[in-house]
Amino acid sequence: MGDVIVAGAKGEKVEDTRWGRHVATADERAVPQVVFTDPEIASVGLTAAAAAAAGLRTRVVDYDLGAVAGASLHADGYKGHARMVVDEDRKVVVGFTVAGPDVAELLHAATIAIVGEVPLDRLRLAVPAYPTVSEVWLRLLETYGR
């Protein structure tokens, strides 16, 4: 809000379009949240229910975190779950939720994908380090399909 007042006082244009400098778009669409429990629960963006309520045509993709190679390096018997919510019309991720040991570290990549509205075809090119738990991104995209 202070930026808007300063811009007005200086006679500068107020950038109030979506994702403009003077709006709080990220505050409503891409606020990362972590519950530091055991296991951790982390999310950013819309849940499937919230996306549906917003009128988006979505597809939900789930993946077992324990199935990625990096999980076995992280801990024996690693258990976790990841969910990606995709806006089918724009082919972008609009939500991500994950539960498992130390999953909060996965949240920033999801936040960037959502805030940047990175198309899935481009997101596929962001190859995660192997073997790490972040490999789940590749697995989610493979599960989604081309």
Side-chain angles (χ1 to χ4, degrees):
M1 184 65 158
D3 287 349
V4 174
I5 295 168
V6 170
K10 290 182 174 181
E12 296 174 352
K13 182 179 184 250
V14 173
E15 297 175 32
D16 60 356
T17 59
R18 186 168 185 237
W19 301 110
R21 188 168 74 107
H22 297 109
V23 295
T25 309
D27 290 345
E28 68 183 51
R29 295 263 180 181
V31 178
Q33 304 171 66
V34 180
V35 180
F36 291 101
T37 57
D38 186 14
E40 289 178 353
I41 301 168
S43 68
V44 62
L46 301 173
T47 63
L56 298 178
R57 190 173 65 87
T58 62
R59 179 170 165 203
V60 173
V61 180
D62 291 308
Y63 201 82
D64 174 11
L65 271 180
V68 300
S72 64
L73 292 176
H74 186 77
D76 289 336
Y78 187 102
K79 292 184 183 190
H81 186 85
R83 170 171 280 187
M84 175 176 75
V85 180
V86 176
D87 178 332
E88 284 290 273
D89 294 324
R90 295 183 302 135
K91 300 295 186 200
V92 296
V93 178
V94 294
F96 180 77
T97 303
V98 64
D102 302 318
V103 294
E105 295 300 324
L106 299 173
L107 206 52
H108 195 238
T111 303
I112 291 170
I114 293 168
V115 169
E117 298 179 329
V118 181
L120 294 182
D121 285 344
R122 194 170 305 150
L123 191 57
R124 290 182 209 288
L125 303 175
V127 179
Y130 179 87
T132 66
V133 179
S134 68
E135 177 193 345
V136 72
W137 278 102
L138 179 59
R139 302 298 166 234
L140 284 165
L141 293 167
E142 287 173 345
T143 302
Y144 179 83
R146 290 181 187 238

